[in-house]
Amino acid sequence: MAEIGKQIMKCPRCGKEIEVAIWDSINMPYDNDLKESIMKNTFFSVACDECGARAPIVYRCEYNDIDKRYMIMTIPGTEEDMQNEIAQYNKRMKDDKALYFARAGYTQRIVCNSNELREKILIFDEGLDDRYIETMKFVYYTELRKSLAKDCEIVGIFLEKHAENEYHWVVIFNNRQPATLKINMNMYKDMKTRIKEQVEAATPEGICRIHGGWAVNVMLKSQESFEEE
């Protein structure tokens, strides 16, 4: 793991200057303390030692699991920022043979915030495929929308583990408390069979962004394919 510098920010509550360590990478299985802070949602935040307030701070960081062979890059910003980063990174992969072979066989993803990073780590550590998790979210989102009031919006759905082989969605709303829904993992198994062809076709080589927008496109193409049969 490499510390690349310090950043000074002001506490949003009391205004005191806080020195923040900035890390460019987290390498597992060596940096277990930093992984734990990610999973507790404290890595991308800083606590003021004057008043105790905690403030978010998200920056570019690479999470690399050597044993499980996956890499997740956090790039805060817009979808355009991330697409530009994807293009640059994949070009480096193509031009740099050492990097290409070092990452051979890796699952490589790009995310934009701490919640997405935390979820991807959970998914890959559990031996699950994030592509089918995202397509499952699309189905649950569509069904949930039917039961919501018109003034209520879903702003996020994230996977959580509650017990051995038992998973829940945590659904974040714009104007009410989060809700949890137990997941029927039979849907996951079914999707890995039914839409495998469409999922593989929509997954580019190298690092890529697998999120809600990607899942919508896959599910629409899957629907078209089933209608043609």
Side-chain angles (χ1 to χ4, degrees):
M1 182 182 61
E3 183 179 357
I4 60 173
K6 301 285 185 179
Q7 180 173 322
I8 302 298
M9 63 174 291
K10 287 189 176 182
C11 173
R13 180 186 294 172
C14 69
K16 181 183 178 181
E17 289 190 343
I18 308 171
E19 187 176 70
V20 184
I22 303 296
W23 306 95
D24 68 347
S25 64
I26 298 168
N27 298 301
M28 294 299 295
Y30 310 111
D31 299 324
N32 281 294
D33 55 337
L34 293 181
K35 177 183 178 179
E36 184 177 352
S37 68
I38 291 172
M39 303 313 285
K40 291 181 177 179
N41 281 329
T42 59
F43 180 78
F44 284 115
S45 66
V46 59
C48 176
D49 56 12
E50 183 72 23
C51 70
R54 184 168 286 276
I57 175 171
V58 183
Y59 53 86
R60 179 193 180 103
C61 183
E62 183 178 302
Y63 183 97
N64 180 32
D65 193 306
I66 300 168
D67 290 341
K68 296 184 177 71
R69 302 188 70 76
Y70 69 86
M71 186 274 284
I72 309 165
M73 188 180 295
T74 303
I75 303 292
T78 65
E79 288 294 328
E80 183 179 358
D81 293 332
M82 284 182 284
Q83 291 304 319
N84 289 336
E85 183 63 38
I86 287 171
Q88 293 173 20
Y89 179 87
N90 286 336
K91 184 178 185 305
R92 289 198 303 273
M93 284 275 290
K94 182 179 179 181
D95 297 340
D96 187 339
K97 296 302 181 184
L99 176 62
Y100 179 83
F101 286 112
R103 291 286 161 82
Y106 266 63
T107 298
Q108 302 178 86
R109 299 291 186 257
I110 192 165
V111 299
C112 68
N113 58 54
S114 58
N115 284 331
E116 289 186 2
L117 173 61
R118 179 175 176 273
E119 182 185 51
K120 293 293 185 189
I121 292 172
L122 173 62
I123 289 170
F124 296 141
D125 281 358
E126 289 293 300
L128 299 171
D129 190 321
D130 64 327
R131 300 173 299 174
Y132 298 101
I133 296 297
E134 290 297 335
T135 53
M136 286 173 66
K137 286 184 188 180
F138 174 83
V139 175
Y140 275 85
Y141 175 88
T142 302
E143 291 303 312
L144 279 170
R145 283 296 309 147
K146 296 177 183 178
S147 61
L148 290 177
K150 291 183 178 180
D151 64 339
C152 185
E153 293 292 333
I154 298 172
V155 297
I157 303 178
F158 298 98
L159 182 78
E160 291 279 2
K161 184 177 182 180
H162 278 229
E164 189 66 27
N165 297 320
E166 183 178 317
Y167 306 96
H168 287 70
W169 298 125
V170 175
V171 186
I172 311 299
F173 302 100
N174 65 328
N175 59 2
R176 65 173 67 175
Q177 291 297 310
T180 59
L181 298 172
K182 187 175 180 179
I183 301 173
N184 180 359
M185 292 305 288
N186 288 329
M187 181 188 293
Y188 175 83
K189 297 175 183 178
D190 182 55
M191 281 190 164
K192 290 192 73 174
T193 301
R194 286 197 311 114
I195 63 172
K196 181 178 180 180
E197 182 178 342
Q198 290 81 8
V199 165
E200 294 295 338
T203 308
E205 185 179 2
I207 197 169
C208 59
R209 179 137 166 81
I210 303 298
H211 65 315
W214 177 90
V216 169
N217 291 331
V218 169
M219 294 302 285
L220 289 176
K221 289 180 180 179
S222 299
Q223 184 177 358
E224 292 172 1
S225 176
F226 295 144
E227 289 175 349
E228 292 173 358
E229 293 180 355

